Amino acid sequence: MATNILSRITKALLAPVLALGATVGLASAPAHAAVWSSCDQWGNTGLNGYTLYNNIWGSGAGAQCVWANSGTNWGAWADHPNTGGIKSYPNAKKVINKSITSLSSLTSSYNVTVPSSGAYNTSYDIWDTDYDYEIMLWVNHHGAVGPLGSSQGAVSLGGHTWNVYKGNNGANEVFSFLRTSDSNSGTVDILPILKWIKDTKGWMGNETIGDVQFGYEITSSAGGLDFRTNNLTVSGG
């Protein structure tokens, strides 16, 4: 099964290389040339200061593989059935481990290629070290997906305008920021968002931010879909 899946990933990734030629370069490297790949449910590795994670965690999931040319250039092929519920969150994680007030900056840039079918969101998932608070930043989404909790209105922060939702999943508070229009590339200034939650809204205290994850929360991708992170950088200090 894994060999067959990796073969399908290779074909999907090789197509744009053949179409665009040598100018595409390493950003479209086929799966067989990737530095790392895994079809394991919890497959993970560290590259260039990031942790890559296949992370097939939801019930009723299908097959999924993740590949990486580097910690900042990676992707996933997923074939999850057309049913409800999140199946997976393939992602790259950068550890921060600094309190909100001790951070002088926390920014990220992203560039992705996502499918025009399926149900998913492309999102940052930001956690405190105790996992009491989860801050999600959706930069795009497609299909029958939606945030947890109730609407808190719209706000312009970090270079984007978001629709904000606040909820609880039974284990932690969840603050979701959904970009008012889909974006496949951009830069997010994350620190003002954290300060707004802490200072303006008072929804959390001076938490220590453990890590910043970026990836694809996939609900369905029947037939096999490709999710590509062309470039991702997370920096803070």
Side-chain angles (χ1 to χ4, degrees), residues 85-189:
I86 300 165
K87 309 301 191 303
S88 67
Y89 181 61
N91 69 85
K93 177 180 76 173
K94 184 69 172 289
V95 174
I96 303 299
N97 281 344
K98 286 192 174 185
S99 68
I100 296 172
T101 56
S102 68
L103 280 167
S104 59
S105 66
L106 182 57
T107 61
S108 178
S109 295
Y110 61 92
N111 184 300
V112 302
T113 302
V114 291
S116 57
S117 60
Y120 64 87
N121 67 64
T122 304
S123 58
Y124 290 90
D125 204 7
I126 303 162
W127 292 90
D128 69 307
T129 50
D130 295 327
Y131 295 95
D132 293 325
Y133 299 97
E134 179 181 13
I135 299 99
M136 297 201 73
L137 312 177
W138 294 24
V139 296
N140 64 55
H141 64 280
H142 187 274
V145 294
L148 180 71
S150 58
S151 175
Q152 305 294 311
V155 65
S156 292
L157 289 166
H160 306 264
T161 302
W162 318 88
N163 291 317
V164 183
Y165 295 80
K166 181 178 182 289
N168 187 296
N169 62 17
N172 53 266
E173 297 291 321
V174 183
F175 311 128
S176 299
F177 292 72
L178 277 62
R179 200 176 186 278
T180 53
S181 61
D182 288 339
S183 169
N184 288 339
S185 65
T187 299
V188 182
D189 191 354

Side-chain angles (χ1 to χ4, degrees), residues 20 42 49 58 69 72 80 82 92-93 116 123 125 135 148 157 164 177 182 206 209 212 214 218 227-228:
L20 298 179
W42 310 115
N69 293 318
T72 62
H80 297 303
N82 187 23
K93 177 180 76 173
S116 57
S123 58
D125 204 7
I135 299 99
L148 180 71
L157 289 166
V164 183
F177 292 72
D182 288 339
N206 185 31
I209 301 304
V212 174
F214 179 87
I218 306 171
F227 301 81
R228 180 190 293 273

